[in-house]
Amino acid sequence: MSVLKNGSISTLSIISGIKQKLIDIKPALPPTLEIAPIGDQSLFVEGAISGVVREGVIAALLTSVMVLLFLGNWRSTLIIAVSIPLSVLGAIVCWRPAARPSTS
């Protein structure tokens, strides 16, 4: 059975729900029947998320070092080091997907 993503639900939520359903129905199936998910795209999504987080941390550290080197002021460096991650976090929290017109 193929499962395709539709709407604004995350790929990770869909995959975790499917894996939970497989665990739930496993006792009702014959013991010789083996169920295995194939084509699990959540591995790629998790890898992409961890890559973005890692690169964001590296960028924040390098920006802080550059501000410290050029300005020589710990206070300005601390302000930059705190404000950049907070602005990114605020953008993620406030982001809403665009409304899509109904196809029915």
Side-chain angles (χ1 to χ4, degrees):
M1 174 188 311
S2 295
V3 178
L4 300 175
K5 180 180 182 244
N6 185 10
S8 62
I9 305 296
S10 76
T11 301
L12 297 178
S13 300
I14 293 170
I15 294 297
S16 67
I18 291 170
K19 287 180 180 178
Q20 184 59 45
K21 289 292 182 190
L22 289 176
I23 291 170
D24 293 344
I25 66 169
K26 181 79 172 166
L29 299 173
T32 57
L33 181 66
E34 188 170 325
I35 300 173
I38 55 173
D40 185 0
Q41 297 297 310
S42 67
L43 302 174
F44 301 113
V45 174
E46 289 172 349
I49 291 171
S50 68
V52 167
V53 169
R54 183 180 60 247
E55 296 301 323
V57 168
I58 291 171
L61 290 173
L62 290 175
T63 303
S64 298
V65 168
M66 292 305 293
V67 168
L68 181 60
L69 288 175
F70 286 120
L71 296 179
N73 187 345
W74 281 100
R75 184 174 179 201
S76 297
T77 303
L78 183 62
I79 290 170
I80 295 294
V82 170
S83 64
I84 291 174
L86 284 179
S87 64
V88 170
L89 181 63
I92 291 171
V93 168
C94 294
W95 178 77
R96 296 280 186 256
R100 295 185 181 165
S102 176
T103 60
S104 54

